[in-house]
Amino acid sequence: MIRLNVFIQVSNKNKIEFENIAKELVNASQKENGCIAYDLFMSSTRNDVYMICETWADKTSLKAHEESEHFKTCFPKIQNLSDIKVEKFQF
């Protein structure tokens, strides 16, 4: 399995737009083959920090996700609205 923790810092002015795009990405991604979990969390201590926590069955599933239309559409928009840090784990 592969786990991605995607930490996202977004300004207050971009918060609503970010949340709408992130929810669209999460909803579509949860339906993909090989998706074990795909969730959006907001920090309980910082209102400008979110995390998308993804768990994929294998490299093939993650690659298909990264090539999906919703990922190619949503992720660049999220990148333009925020600062992102990604942690990747295999287990």
Side-chain angles (χ1 to χ4, degrees):
M1 283 192 288
I2 300 170
R3 162 69 57 86
L4 296 175
N5 294 329
V6 182
F7 296 93
I8 305 159
Q9 186 173 12
V10 61
S11 68
N12 280 335
K13 72 176 185 165
N14 293 329
K15 196 171 184 173
I16 292 173
E17 185 178 3
F18 160 77
E19 287 178 356
N20 290 333
I21 296 165
K23 287 175 185 176
E24 178 183 340
L25 177 62
V26 169
N27 289 334
S29 298
Q30 289 175 333
K31 298 172 187 167
E32 290 184 67
N33 289 331
C35 179
I36 295 169
Y38 205 103
D39 296 293
L40 174 67
F41 300 98
M42 182 178 174
S43 171
S44 63
T45 58
R46 294 186 54 191
N47 67 0
D48 64 334
V49 175
Y50 294 81
M51 182 178 76
I52 294 176
C53 183
E54 313 173 29
T55 306
W56 296 95
D58 51 35
K59 289 179 185 180
T60 302
S61 301
L62 177 57
K63 185 174 189 221
H65 166 66
E66 292 171 343
E67 293 174 355
S68 69
E69 193 60 38
H70 58 269
F71 182 84
K72 289 181 181 180
T73 300
C74 294
F75 194 68
K77 291 177 184 177
I78 290 171
Q79 286 178 308
N80 287 333
L81 294 170
S82 62
D83 293 318
I84 296 174
K85 177 187 172 196
V86 179
E87 296 177 342
K88 184 176 181 180
F89 306 93
Q90 288 189 286
F91 53 99

